[in-house]
Amino acid sequence: MDNQINKMSDDSIIAIPLRNLIAIIFAVAVAVVGYFEVTNRISMTERELALMKSEMGMNSEFRVGWPLGEFGALPADAEQDRELLAIRDRMNMMWEEIEENDDWIDEFTPPPEVIQAVEDVRELEVEIAYMTIRIENLEKIIDSRVLGE
């Protein structure tokens, strides 16, 4: 056996079945392709993560800076602010006028005709409730006589 090991050189011949050789080459190729695919996906994920961190930083800066006016203001915002100020001034004037003229609200009492109509409606509601109870009792009596016969 030592003789065989000593006889090995770059001209030595190894006998291996062709299907085993093809299977080994195919397995190595699959492993290489798989390795590069995994490496590529890791690189893409790291790149996406770096981009997301960068975008989050820019978003945080914008979120804080925009309300403070660090990035300017839209013309529509300035117009809305003017309109809101005008509406607030108009409401303040209206509120002052209401406060000056609200005595009639505090001293308001309905006319006597309205008070009388409300009392009449209440009396009618009581009468209707009383008549409804009487009708239900009469129906019970009639039903008991019909069933009793």
Side-chain angles (χ1 to χ4, degrees):
M1 184 128 152
D2 287 331
N3 286 341
Q4 289 178 351
I5 292 175
N6 291 336
K7 291 182 181 179
M8 288 182 85
S9 69
D10 58 345
D11 293 330
S12 297
I13 298 175
I14 298 174
I16 185 168
L18 185 60
R19 70 173 174 216
N20 290 352
L21 181 63
I22 292 174
I24 290 171
I25 292 172
F26 181 74
V28 168
V30 167
V32 168
V33 169
Y35 170 78
F36 283 114
E37 185 67 28
V38 168
T39 305
N40 185 33
R41 293 190 86 169
I42 290 172
S43 297
M44 285 177 40
T45 304
E46 288 174 345
R47 182 176 177 272
E48 288 176 5
L49 182 63
L51 286 174
M52 283 193 298
K53 284 181 180 178
S54 171
E55 289 173 0
M56 279 178 35
M58 288 188 297
N59 185 33
S60 292
E61 290 175 22
F62 180 79
R63 181 184 53 82
V64 171
W66 179 262
L68 298 176
E70 293 176 5
F71 298 105
L74 295 175
D77 289 344
E79 184 178 339
Q80 281 180 342
D81 290 343
R82 282 192 307 272
E83 289 177 6
L84 287 172
L85 289 172
I87 289 171
R88 186 184 67 191
D89 291 343
R90 196 173 326 142
M91 285 189 60
N92 286 338
M93 289 183 343
M94 293 169 86
W95 188 252
E96 287 175 12
E97 189 173 330
I98 289 171
E99 288 294 324
E100 291 173 3
N101 298 318
D102 71 342
D103 293 341
W104 67 272
I105 295 172
D106 297 335
E107 298 169 0
F108 176 76
T109 58
E113 299 86 19
V114 173
I115 294 173
Q116 185 61 42
V118 170
E119 290 175 3
D120 292 344
V121 168
R122 286 184 184 149
E123 288 177 14
L124 289 173
E125 288 174 344
V126 169
E127 285 183 35
I128 289 172
Y130 176 69
M131 288 181 180
T132 303
I133 292 171
R134 288 195 65 198
I135 289 172
E136 289 173 356
N137 288 336
L138 287 172
E139 286 176 345
K140 288 179 185 176
I141 291 171
I142 291 171
D143 288 342
S144 68
R145 287 187 181 170
V146 170
L147 294 175
E149 292 179 45

mmCIF file of all heavy atoms in Angstrom, residues 11 21 30-32 35-36 43 56 63-64 69 71 73 85 107 128 136 140:
data_model
loop_
_atom_site.group_PDB
_atom_site.id
_atom_site.type_symbol
_atom_site.label_atom_id
_atom_site.label_comp_id
_atom_site.label_asym_id
_atom_site.label_seq_id
_atom_site.Cartn_x
_atom_site.Cartn_y
_atom_site.Cartn_z
ATOM 1 N N ASP A 11 0.235 12.591 -12.904
ATOM 2 C CA ASP A 11 -0.162 11.755 -14.027
ATOM 3 C C ASP A 11 -0.984 10.551 -13.579
ATOM 4 O O ASP A 11 -1.349 9.716 -14.408
ATOM 5 C CB ASP A 11 1.091 11.223 -14.766
ATOM 6 C CG ASP A 11 1.850 12.344 -15.441
ATOM 7 O OD1 ASP A 11 1.169 13.337 -15.828
ATOM 8 O OD2 ASP A 11 3.072 12.240 -15.565
ATOM 9 N N LEU A 21 -19.503 11.084 -11.183
ATOM 10 C CA LEU A 21 -18.788 12.312 -11.511
ATOM 11 C C LEU A 21 -19.775 13.420 -11.898
ATOM 12 O O LEU A 21 -19.658 14.566 -11.431
ATOM 13 C CB LEU A 21 -17.796 12.061 -12.648
ATOM 14 C CG LEU A 21 -16.956 13.270 -13.063
ATOM 15 C CD1 LEU A 21 -16.078 13.731 -11.905
ATOM 16 C CD2 LEU A 21 -16.123 12.935 -14.284
ATOM 17 N N VAL A 30 -24.880 23.260 -7.936
ATOM 18 C CA VAL A 30 -26.041 23.689 -7.153
ATOM 19 C C VAL A 30 -25.584 24.422 -5.900
ATOM 20 O O VAL A 30 -26.144 25.463 -5.524
ATOM 21 C CB VAL A 30 -26.953 22.487 -6.802
ATOM 22 C CG1 VAL A 30 -27.968 22.838 -5.736
ATOM 23 C CG2 VAL A 30 -27.642 21.971 -8.055
ATOM 24 N N ALA A 31 -24.564 23.914 -5.252
ATOM 25 C CA ALA A 31 -24.062 24.564 -4.034
ATOM 26 C C ALA A 31 -23.503 25.952 -4.358
ATOM 27 O O ALA A 31 -23.740 26.918 -3.619
ATOM 28 C CB ALA A 31 -22.984 23.689 -3.380
ATOM 29 N N VAL A 32 -22.771 26.078 -5.467
ATOM 30 C CA VAL A 32 -22.206 27.378 -5.852
ATOM 31 C C VAL A 32 -23.325 28.360 -6.180
ATOM 32 O O VAL A 32 -23.317 29.516 -5.724
ATOM 33 C CB VAL A 32 -21.226 27.220 -7.040
ATOM 34 C CG1 VAL A 32 -20.858 28.566 -7.647
ATOM 35 C CG2 VAL A 32 -19.966 26.480 -6.595
ATOM 36 N N TYR A 35 -25.068 29.360 -3.001
ATOM 37 C CA TYR A 35 -24.236 30.279 -2.215
ATOM 38 C C TYR A 35 -24.335 31.696 -2.766
ATOM 39 O O TYR A 35 -24.539 32.658 -2.024
ATOM 40 C CB TYR A 35 -22.777 29.805 -2.227
ATOM 41 C CG TYR A 35 -21.825 30.821 -1.638
ATOM 42 C CD1 TYR A 35 -21.720 30.961 -0.254
ATOM 43 C CD2 TYR A 35 -21.059 31.640 -2.461
ATOM 44 C CE1 TYR A 35 -20.856 31.904 0.290
ATOM 45 C CE2 TYR A 35 -20.202 32.586 -1.916
ATOM 46 C CZ TYR A 35 -20.098 32.718 -0.549
ATOM 47 O OH TYR A 35 -19.249 33.643 -0.022
ATOM 48 N N PHE A 36 -24.201 31.831 -4.096
ATOM 49 C CA PHE A 36 -24.280 33.172 -4.687
ATOM 50 C C PHE A 36 -25.682 33.767 -4.549
ATOM 51 O O PHE A 36 -25.831 34.979 -4.354
ATOM 52 C CB PHE A 36 -23.833 33.145 -6.149
ATOM 53 C CG PHE A 36 -22.342 33.068 -6.299
ATOM 54 C CD1 PHE A 36 -21.735 31.951 -6.842
ATOM 55 C CD2 PHE A 36 -21.534 34.109 -5.874
ATOM 56 C CE1 PHE A 36 -20.359 31.876 -6.962
ATOM 57 C CE2 PHE A 36 -20.159 34.046 -5.996
ATOM 58 C CZ PHE A 36 -19.566 32.924 -6.538
ATOM 59 N N SER A 43 -27.131 40.731 0.472
ATOM 60 C CA SER A 43 -26.672 42.062 0.042
ATOM 61 C C SER A 43 -27.863 42.968 -0.274
ATOM 62 O O SER A 43 -27.870 44.147 0.107
ATOM 63 C CB SER A 43 -25.786 41.944 -1.195
ATOM 64 O OG SER A 43 -24.629 41.214 -0.911
ATOM 65 N N MET A 56 -36.034 56.983 6.786
ATOM 66 C CA MET A 56 -36.616 57.289 8.094
ATOM 67 C C MET A 56 -35.976 58.533 8.694
ATOM 68 O O MET A 56 -36.658 59.371 9.286
ATOM 69 C CB MET A 56 -36.433 56.101 9.055
ATOM 70 C CG MET A 56 -37.451 55.016 8.855
ATOM 71 S SD MET A 56 -37.249 53.568 9.925
ATOM 72 C CE MET A 56 -36.659 54.189 11.441
ATOM 73 N N ARG A 63 -40.643 65.708 9.329
ATOM 74 C CA ARG A 63 -41.768 65.737 10.267
ATOM 75 C C ARG A 63 -41.576 66.813 11.319
ATOM 76 O O ARG A 63 -42.506 67.490 11.734
ATOM 77 C CB ARG A 63 -41.916 64.361 10.928
ATOM 78 C CG ARG A 63 -43.052 64.234 11.897
ATOM 79 C CD ARG A 63 -43.050 62.870 12.551
ATOM 80 N NE ARG A 63 -41.799 62.506 13.165
ATOM 81 C CZ ARG A 63 -41.400 62.883 14.375
ATOM 82 N NH1 ARG A 63 -42.158 63.663 15.097
ATOM 83 N NH2 ARG A 63 -40.246 62.488 14.858
ATOM 84 N N VAL A 64 -40.336 66.994 11.772
ATOM 85 C CA VAL A 64 -40.049 67.994 12.791
ATOM 86 C C VAL A 64 -39.904 69.378 12.151
ATOM 87 O O VAL A 64 -40.405 70.377 12.668
ATOM 88 C CB VAL A 64 -38.766 67.615 13.571
ATOM 89 C CG1 VAL A 64 -38.329 68.739 14.470
ATOM 90 C CG2 VAL A 64 -39.006 66.342 14.372
ATOM 91 N N GLY A 69 -41.511 75.463 9.895
ATOM 92 C CA GLY A 69 -41.267 76.345 8.761
ATOM 93 C C GLY A 69 -39.855 76.275 8.233
ATOM 94 O O GLY A 69 -39.444 77.137 7.462
ATOM 95 N N PHE A 71 -38.682 74.178 6.131
ATOM 96 C CA PHE A 71 -38.675 73.773 4.732
ATOM 97 C C PHE A 71 -39.579 74.672 3.897
ATOM 98 O O PHE A 71 -39.956 74.330 2.795
ATOM 99 C CB PHE A 71 -39.129 72.313 4.592
ATOM 100 C CG PHE A 71 -38.218 71.351 5.288
ATOM 101 C CD1 PHE A 71 -38.589 70.773 6.491
ATOM 102 C CD2 PHE A 71 -36.990 71.026 4.753
ATOM 103 C CE1 PHE A 71 -37.751 69.884 7.129
ATOM 104 C CE2 PHE A 71 -36.146 70.146 5.392
ATOM 105 C CZ PHE A 71 -36.523 69.571 6.584
ATOM 106 N N ALA A 73 -43.169 77.073 3.308
ATOM 107 C CA ALA A 73 -44.594 76.823 3.470
ATOM 108 C C ALA A 73 -45.241 76.848 2.097
ATOM 109 O O ALA A 73 -44.793 77.545 1.189
ATOM 110 C CB ALA A 73 -45.223 77.887 4.368
ATOM 111 N N LEU A 85 -57.876 83.355 9.965
ATOM 112 C CA LEU A 85 -57.830 84.585 10.759
ATOM 113 C C LEU A 85 -59.046 85.462 10.482
ATOM 114 O O LEU A 85 -59.637 86.036 11.409
ATOM 115 C CB LEU A 85 -56.536 85.358 10.468
ATOM 116 C CG LEU A 85 -55.253 84.731 11.009
ATOM 117 C CD1 LEU A 85 -54.030 85.492 10.495
ATOM 118 C CD2 LEU A 85 -55.266 84.690 12.525
ATOM 119 N N GLU A 107 -84.898 86.589 28.765
ATOM 120 C CA GLU A 107 -86.208 86.984 29.292
ATOM 121 C C GLU A 107 -87.365 86.354 28.525
ATOM 122 O O GLU A 107 -88.520 86.688 28.757
ATOM 123 C CB GLU A 107 -86.327 88.513 29.226
ATOM 124 C CG GLU A 107 -85.286 89.213 30.085
ATOM 125 C CD GLU A 107 -85.221 90.708 29.808
ATOM 126 O OE1 GLU A 107 -85.993 91.193 28.949
ATOM 127 O OE2 GLU A 107 -84.400 91.381 30.445
ATOM 128 N N ILE A 128 -106.056 59.726 26.316
ATOM 129 C CA ILE A 128 -105.781 58.630 25.374
ATOM 130 C C ILE A 128 -105.218 57.420 26.113
ATOM 131 O O ILE A 128 -105.616 56.278 25.850
ATOM 132 C CB ILE A 128 -104.816 59.104 24.271
ATOM 133 C CG1 ILE A 128 -105.524 60.081 23.340
ATOM 134 C CG2 ILE A 128 -104.253 57.931 23.482
ATOM 135 C CD1 ILE A 128 -104.616 60.755 22.333
ATOM 136 N N GLU A 136 -108.301 47.867 26.368
ATOM 137 C CA GLU A 136 -107.615 46.594 26.609
ATOM 138 C C GLU A 136 -108.399 45.747 27.602
ATOM 139 O O GLU A 136 -108.541 44.533 27.425
ATOM 140 C CB GLU A 136 -106.192 46.847 27.113
ATOM 141 C CG GLU A 136 -105.264 47.393 26.059
ATOM 142 C CD GLU A 136 -103.915 47.800 26.620
ATOM 143 O OE1 GLU A 136 -103.711 47.730 27.856
ATOM 144 O OE2 GLU A 136 -103.049 48.201 25.814
ATOM 145 N N LYS A 140 -110.264 42.075 26.965
ATOM 146 C CA LYS A 140 -110.046 40.903 27.812
ATOM 147 C C LYS A 140 -111.387 40.310 28.254
ATOM 148 O O LYS A 140 -111.558 39.076 28.274
ATOM 149 C CB LYS A 140 -109.193 41.266 29.020
ATOM 150 C CG LYS A 140 -107.747 41.530 28.699
ATOM 151 C CD LYS A 140 -106.972 41.911 29.941
ATOM 152 C CE LYS A 140 -105.542 42.305 29.622
ATOM 153 N NZ LYS A 140 -104.809 42.773 30.787
#
